[in-house]
Amino acid sequence: MKKTMMMLLCGLMFSLAGSAQTEDSTPFFKDKVFLNSSVTGLGLNYNKTQKWNLGATFKGGYFFEDNWAVTGQLGFEYHQEAPNAFIGGVGLRYYFEQNGIYLGAGMNYVHENHNYDDFMPTVQVGYAFFLNRYVTFEPEIYYNQSLKNHCDYSGFGIRMGFSVYFE
């Protein structure tokens, strides 16, 4: 009787393991697209010229390989004591499928009123927490490096957003 139960249990485990490997094991697979909207500011970021700001970013991405996505973004930042800024950028993300953590890097073009333009390399680390199969909550820590005026405009911050993943 013990041998029969062990054989059934082993058979069940092998069949489950075999079907688990044929299913899509990663949510970050090739040819998937995502759209993200996020908020930054509210005292959660810092650079020398901004005491308080509020920003909104809209980002989209395409997975050209499993776990690798190319991204594009548009954003706006309202600054209380400095000129408002419009932001456009491109980047690259790598997702660790085991836990949802991602690393990103990119280049942003920043245009502020009063004719200040800057290119800013950016790096970020975030976490894609799936609320269901298609929607994630994504907190992110980022650093922007100003190429024009490092002392005044380089800074770091926290961004909170939601993404929708399309197959």
Side-chain angles (χ1 to χ4, degrees):
M1 183 71 172
K2 281 185 178 180
K3 287 183 179 182
T4 307
M5 291 300 282
M6 283 302 276
M7 292 296 285
L8 286 173
L9 184 60
C10 286
L12 179 63
M13 292 196 47
F14 282 121
S15 67
L16 290 176
S19 68
Q21 290 178 2
T22 60
E23 293 176 4
D24 182 41
S25 62
T26 174
F28 314 113
F29 59 87
K30 186 177 178 178
D31 294 331
K32 200 169 198 177
V33 175
F34 74 90
L35 297 175
N36 173 284
S37 63
S38 57
V39 176
T40 188
L42 300 173
L44 298 176
N45 66 340
Y46 173 79
N47 76 27
K48 197 171 183 179
T49 62
Q50 302 167 5
K51 303 289 186 217
W52 186 90
N53 76 2
L54 176 63
T57 303
F58 301 98
K59 189 178 287 190
Y62 172 75
F63 287 89
F64 62 92
E65 281 294 325
D66 286 355
N67 304 323
W68 286 95
V70 62
T71 63
Q73 77 172 24
L74 292 174
F76 175 78
E77 288 185 353
Y78 168 78
H79 303 140
Q80 187 175 16
E81 297 180 11
N84 297 332
F86 293 96
I87 301 165
V90 295
L92 189 66
R93 276 188 184 177
Y94 178 76
Y95 289 81
F96 296 95
E97 68 182 72
Q98 297 88 353
N99 52 23
I101 292 175
Y102 62 86
L103 302 175
M107 179 65 80
N108 292 336
Y109 171 74
V110 179
H111 173 75
E112 291 186 354
N113 295 343
H114 307 293
N115 298 325
Y116 179 81
D117 296 315
D118 197 357
F119 284 97
M120 292 187 167
T122 181
V123 293
Q124 57 284 133
V125 60
Y127 178 65
F129 178 75
F130 276 84
L131 302 174
N132 64 28
R133 186 173 176 190
Y134 302 105
V135 179
T136 61
F137 173 67
E138 295 185 359
E140 178 180 275
I141 298 171
Y142 65 90
Y143 177 76
N144 294 330
Q145 171 70 45
S146 174
L147 294 180
K148 193 170 188 177
N149 187 343
H150 168 73
C151 293
D152 292 336
Y153 290 99
S154 296
F156 58 90
I158 297 174
R159 187 176 291 127
M160 304 284 184
F162 289 93
S163 290
V164 178
Y165 289 78
F166 302 96
E167 295 182 12

